[in-house]
Amino acid sequence: MQLKTRHSCWIVIQTVLCVLAAGKVDNVLAADSVTDAVDWPAMLAHHDLRWNRLPQTWKEAPFLGNGEQGTMMYQIDEKTIRWDVGNSAAHDHRPFEQDDFNEKNAPVLNRGRHFIGHLRVIFPEALVASDSRLKLWDAEAVGTIHSANGVARWTTLVHASEPVMRLELSTEGGLDGARFSYVPERATNPRAIRAKTPREPANPPPVINQFADGVHVAVHNLHAGGQTAVAWLTVKSGQQQTLWLSVKHSYPESDASSQAVSAVRKAAAADSTQWITQHRDWWHDYYRQSFVATGDRFWDAFYWIQQYKLASATRDKGWIIDNQGPWLQPTAWNAIWWNLNAQLSHSGFATANRREMGSAMSHRLYLCRDNLAKNVAVPYQADSYALGRNTSGWDLLGHAGQPGTGRPPMDASISRECGNLLWALHNVDLECRYWQDTSLRDRVLYPLLVRAVNYYRHFLKEEADGYLHLPETYSPEYRRADDCTYDLDLLRWGNARLLSLAAEMAKTETDEPLIATWREIEAKLVPTHVNETGRMIGRGVALTGRHRHFSHLLAIYPLHTLTPDTDTDRELIKTSLDHWHSFGGAMAGYSLTGGACLSAILGDGDRALDFLNGLKPFLHANTFYSEAGGLPVIETPLHGATTIQEMLLQSWGGRLRIFPAVPQKWSDVQFHRLRGEGAYLVSARRERGATKWLHVTAEVGGSVEVQPRLTDAQWVGSEGVKVQLLEPGIYQVDMPKDGHVLFWPSDNRQPEVKVTSVPRHGKEHRFGIIDEAVKD
């Protein structure tokens, strides 16, 4: 049975079994109807980062990681280069009860990340020239260094699935005699150092030991318990030396040393070819999960470097990407910041079809759920969860804000910042919806969301106007306000999602007595305050000056509870966006990515690209990013990649929007296996500014609206697929599990559905180090 529709008519085509067996039926869509013809090694090689001199700082450095361990390479003097040694797990663990609030209310002074150490190579002669490359396809960095009389060649990788870095160095001539050496650092807190508030008593200095087989280990036995250890082994053969290094952290156990030593010995004993092949195979499989090509040389390179960075910074059920990732540097932000940073870092995993790059959020929130209760004041701990502005990535402990009174002695603003957990749970909801994971929904999302909404229930008060109002809270990075829009947007989303989840789970008021309360909140929660400039910060508080955060616009993005489906709401969104960016002056990079995402929701691809292009001056040579005079933060470039996805595919309100905001300059665009909510995999091609074809596969099955940017389309589906035209350009598609459908322009023959590269335009990317003579 094959079903095909044109316009609103249904046509049923029956065929005999012998013809089906011969495989010659017209209009039958084969299961393997999309061909991936991308030359992946060549495509990614085109986007590699290249350097024609030695990088001088972390802002220029090649970077590698495996979701926990990470390294960067750069020069520190004329004869010395260093590789940082980082580990996202390496935290201090001083008691929550001993937090002090004398340094901007930063509990991570006691439980934040700590320094570990670094590798050095000191060469016999001054280094005068270099070229190097970060090879994305194989996730390896390679380089050549020259002195006046010698040459050195190096390679570095951080193994994809083993906790080990591998570095090779070969030398000739005047550079013979160079050797690796490990330099341990004190396990100190970089924020405490910066604020001149050292932790007392200090962590003991590392202890270095050597075993009979040549393995060294540097052990940090932390004052509050736990252990960070670095083990390494160097093997020399003629002019070549190979070093294996592992850095591990354990808590409350003190067995990091044995873990690191064991990992190094295992890697050194392994067959080198097989070990490296295993690493490369992981990365090759990772990249192929989805494909994006805009044709823009700069933004394509940027996009793929961020996909590499994402998998270097986190892994399936691993560590939430904090403000540093595995590459800790001197900073004030050596932990997770929850009022934007962590959510943006993990914002693109769902559309990119890379679930393991987002699952750390759901995993860690569930694992630390009891600590989410400890973050609120004692009277609310029995039924409430919340997240403070910043927490340790290990335990998620950090005092949350409280509506109305705040929480002295904390800062008056930070002590009223309350909505961060709800925003984090929106990320968890993406994982549930995009993969239709009912187990994650029932086990993690629903119970955590109940307690996150419960926290607000304690403070809502019905006033004379009949509305439930919220006392003073804080809109991140702007001002305090009653009925704060940041909190109302998140509460309105969370409350509505609880009602929809209860319906999905077939819960009644007998099963869940809170349903009645949620319905009351839905009916009575005060509307968001607006004026002639658009959405306000809160009651009586308008946006009257530069505001880099989009904390008052979350209902538009990413929550999609305010959408441009009516003329009135579209005008409100546009007015709010225009006003937000009307004050001039340099804002943050994420102000631009946020502006681009809002423009994409309005379907304005040219403006979205203008915002995105505004991000370029904020990017460092290696695509990293910093604020506050050069302190690194990781979320904005990762969100830049999310922005590109928002321009190519949007999925909200039960509809897949294909090429919703593609700028005119991107005339040829293609993507493959991007994901929409409902567990739909989407591939599409655009040529000369028009959709060439669109293919949708249902992993689970269901009904979805599809907007393919085709006003008059032909379609063909697999068995059981039904398509109906709802209105011009919008189609209702019903598919069984593993069903699939293909759309293409009505004036064309059925196309060959092949994923390939698209014509490239624009300037070549300049990521890496550019010769000073030609640098812009």
Side-chain angles (χ1 to χ4, degrees), residues 97 264 290 342 530 536 704 767:
E97 296 75 20
V264 164
S290 63
V530 299
M536 299 171 66
V704 66
F767 300 125

Side-chain angles (χ1 to χ4, degrees), residues 327-354:
W327 309 285
L328 182 64
Q329 301 294 322
T331 182
W333 304 313
N334 56 316
I336 302 177
W337 257 247
W338 286 104
N339 56 359
L340 173 143
N341 306 71
Q343 292 90 334
L344 292 196
S345 290
H346 291 278
S347 62
F349 77 100
T351 301
N353 191 29
R354 305 186 190 279

Side-chain angles (χ1 to χ4, degrees), residues 40-51 63 132-142 287 297 300-302 304-305 308 621-623 764-770:
W40 284 91
M43 182 274 293
L44 284 170
H46 185 76
H47 304 318
D48 286 349
L49 290 91
R50 297 174 175 86
W51 290 259
F63 58 96
S132 51
R133 181 172 184 169
L134 179 54
K135 299 160 64 176
L136 298 176
W137 178 239
D138 290 335
E140 299 172 24
V142 300
Y287 285 124
R297 293 171 184 259
D300 281 349
F302 172 84
W304 285 106
I305 294 166
Y308 165 79
N622 57 3
T623 79
E764 199 73 44
H765 77 83
R766 290 187 170 184
F767 300 125
I769 305 300
I770 304 303

Side-chain angles (χ1 to χ4, degrees), residues 1 152 166 259 267 360 523 591 614 653 766:
M1 178 74 68
R166 185 178 190 270
Q259 292 182 43
S591 311
R766 290 187 170 184

Side-chain angles (χ1 to χ4, degrees), residues 283 286 303-311 352 354 641 645:
W283 279 96
Y286 164 76
Y303 179 84
W304 285 106
I305 294 166
Q306 302 323 300
Q307 300 311 301
Y308 165 79
K309 186 189 296 178
L310 186 63
R354 305 186 190 279
Q645 294 170 180

Side-chain angles (χ1 to χ4, degrees), residues 235-491:
V235 175
K236 301 172 185 176
S237 177
Q239 295 174 319
Q240 180 170 311
Q241 51 191 305
T242 302
L243 180 141
W244 293 268
L245 181 145
S246 179
V247 52
K248 297 294 292 182
H249 180 82
S250 59
Y251 180 81
E253 299 80 11
S254 294
D255 60 354
S257 176
S258 60
Q259 292 182 43
V261 169
S262 176
V264 164
R265 286 173 173 159
K266 178 183 175 183
D271 178 274
S272 178
T273 300
Q274 292 180 2
W275 195 81
I276 293 173
T277 298
Q278 180 189 37
H279 162 79
R280 292 174 177 173
D281 286 348
W282 188 96
W283 279 96
H284 299 170
D285 290 342
Y286 164 76
Y287 285 124
R288 288 191 176 103
Q289 290 172 339
S290 63
F291 175 76
V292 164
T294 69
D296 186 310
R297 293 171 184 259
F298 182 94
W299 290 115
D300 281 349
F302 172 84
Y303 179 84
W304 285 106
I305 294 166
Q306 302 323 300
Q307 300 311 301
Y308 165 79
K309 186 189 296 178
L310 186 63
S312 298
T314 189
R315 288 300 166 83
D316 187 29
K317 298 179 177 61
W319 297 100
I320 296 171
I321 303 174
D322 62 20
N323 283 28
Q324 300 285 300
W327 309 285
L328 182 64
Q329 301 294 322
T331 182
W333 304 313
N334 56 316
I336 302 177
W337 257 247
W338 286 104
N339 56 359
L340 173 143
N341 306 71
Q343 292 90 334
L344 292 196
S345 290
H346 291 278
S347 62
F349 77 100
T351 301
N353 191 29
R354 305 186 190 279
R355 182 175 184 176
E356 67 274 24
M357 300 299 106
S359 62
M361 187 79 78
S362 58
H363 175 70
R364 185 62 52 173
L365 286 169
Y366 178 75
L367 198 66
C368 298
R369 59 194 182 279
D370 291 344
N371 288 346
L372 301 178
K374 294 178 182 178
N375 290 340
V376 301
V378 171
Y380 314 110
Q381 290 181 0
D383 67 359
S384 299
Y385 289 158
L387 279 168
R389 174 174 293 188
N390 51 77
T391 72
S392 156
W394 188 274
D395 56 28
L396 306 191
L397 283 170
H399 295 80
Q402 183 170 310
T405 61
R407 296 184 70 183
M410 295 172 65
D411 170 88
S413 295
I414 296 173
S415 72
R416 289 174 174 82
E417 188 174 286
C418 304
N420 301 332
L421 176 58
L422 282 170
W423 192 353
L425 289 173
H426 181 264
N427 285 62
V428 178
D429 190 40
L430 293 178
E431 187 179 356
C432 293
R433 288 186 289 117
Y434 276 63
W435 277 268
Q436 290 294 283
D437 188 334
T438 56
S439 174
L440 182 68
R441 176 197 69 186
D442 299 349
R443 182 175 53 88
V444 179
L445 177 63
Y446 182 80
L448 267 64
L449 194 56
V450 167
R451 284 176 166 252
V453 169
N454 271 351
Y455 188 45
Y456 280 98
R457 288 180 50 232
H458 292 288
F459 305 99
L460 291 171
K461 300 295 182 184
E462 186 170 344
E463 297 186 7
D465 58 7
Y467 286 121
L468 293 171
H469 291 264
L470 191 66
E472 188 178 66
T473 56
Y474 179 60
S475 187
E477 303 202 357
Y478 195 72
R479 281 183 57 188
R480 303 192 301 275
D482 291 347
D483 294 341
C484 180
T485 301
Y486 177 74
D487 297 272
L488 291 180
D489 282 353
L490 289 163
L491 176 57

